[in-house]
Amino acid sequence: MTRNAIQLSAFDLLLFDLDGTLVDSAADIAAAVDDTLLARNWPAAGVERVRSWVGNGSRKLIERAVLFAANSSDAELLNAVHNDFLAHYTQHNGANTSLFPGVREFLQHCQAINKKMACITNKPELLAKALLQQLNLDSYFSIVIGGDTFPQRKPDPVALLYCCEKLTTPIERTLMIGDSETDVKSARNAGMKVLCVSYGYNHGGAVAATNPDGLIDDFRELISV
């Protein structure tokens, strides 16, 4: 893996992760998690801890939160807490979420040069679509797939392959763009190249260690490539 080793011209379809890649949503997710925990008289987790839990979908997020706060993995409890979290997150979704630097410029650039684009996130689909609309990003994506769109979620490749099929693009002309090991594994499982941003969440670890095909600090690095 070498930094900025990706040539944008080699790809017709770009598949974007959302949280930690395009948007910094950790504050809103953490607020919803903490509201959920505090409502049960459990300790709050705080934004930095929650940031390390993001990336595998809301169910896994709550599994980690309940294990932290109540030292439990009881399925019935997890279901109840997960439902509570979704209700809280609907109230917080987008309130303190911002785009990472260079994101809007890059999406505008890709739209101007007729790149096909889709968003594939493990966030629930309705919440992902609502957030994209609130941030005025929805017009860039032909398809938005959430963690509950299919029975499987990333790192399963089903969503990536679905986008290739629906947008009639060969796998070798498709690039996955994300911030975590989950995105790297998704791309590998789909047989496609993957580019990662260095600033994302990645469960608290360095994404470079997951050996993506390229690594950038800012999307604007790709505009001249």
Side-chain angles (χ1 to χ4, degrees), residues 6-216:
I6 294 295
Q7 298 291 324
L8 198 59
S9 59
F11 304 97
D12 302 316
L13 172 58
L14 308 177
L15 307 177
F16 292 88
D17 173 56
L18 182 56
D19 300 286
T21 300
L22 298 178
V23 302
D24 187 358
S25 53
D28 284 339
I29 296 172
V33 168
D34 284 349
D35 281 355
T36 304
L37 300 179
L38 291 170
R40 292 175 177 267
N41 295 314
W42 292 343
V47 65
E48 291 308 316
R49 186 176 282 111
V50 171
R51 188 186 300 270
S52 73
W53 293 342
V54 172
N56 299 112
S58 60
R59 174 75 188 195
K60 191 66 179 180
L61 170 69
I62 293 306
E63 286 181 13
R64 291 165 173 152
V66 172
L67 187 63
F68 157 78
N71 195 30
S72 175
S73 57
D74 178 76
E76 186 174 346
L77 177 63
L78 290 174
N79 285 334
V81 177
H82 183 242
N83 289 335
D84 291 346
F85 166 75
L86 293 177
H88 284 295
Y89 188 54
T90 298
Q91 301 303 312
H92 287 283
N93 190 19
N96 291 293
T97 292
S98 60
L99 302 187
F100 286 110
V103 166
R104 194 175 300 279
E105 295 96 319
F106 182 66
L107 294 176
Q108 290 172 341
H109 172 73
C110 290
Q111 189 175 66
I113 60 175
N114 297 316
K115 297 294 184 185
K116 302 172 189 177
M117 292 182 280
C119 180
I120 302 177
T121 173
N122 278 341
K123 184 193 294 293
E125 181 181 335
L126 287 177
L127 293 173
K129 288 181 174 178
L131 181 59
L132 289 170
Q133 185 174 21
Q134 182 173 335
L135 296 172
N136 295 315
L137 295 181
D138 52 314
S139 63
Y140 296 109
F141 302 109
S142 301
I143 298 173
V144 177
I145 295 175
D148 54 356
T149 305
F150 296 105
Q152 308 88 352
R153 61 179 61 86
K154 297 183 296 183
D156 190 285
V158 62
L160 287 68
L161 298 175
Y162 173 86
C163 290
C164 290
E165 179 182 356
K166 289 298 180 181
L167 298 175
T168 60
T169 307
I171 291 171
E172 60 270 18
R173 297 288 301 179
T174 303
L175 177 67
M176 181 69 212
I177 302 175
D179 71 315
S180 71
E181 183 178 19
T182 300
D183 297 308
V184 173
K185 287 182 175 179
S186 300
R188 299 295 180 228
N189 290 337
M192 64 182 60
K193 296 287 188 180
V194 57
L195 170 72
C196 283
V197 296
S198 61
Y199 52 72
Y201 304 151
N202 193 39
H203 321 303
V207 74
T210 67
N211 294 313
D213 298 296
L215 186 68
I216 56 171

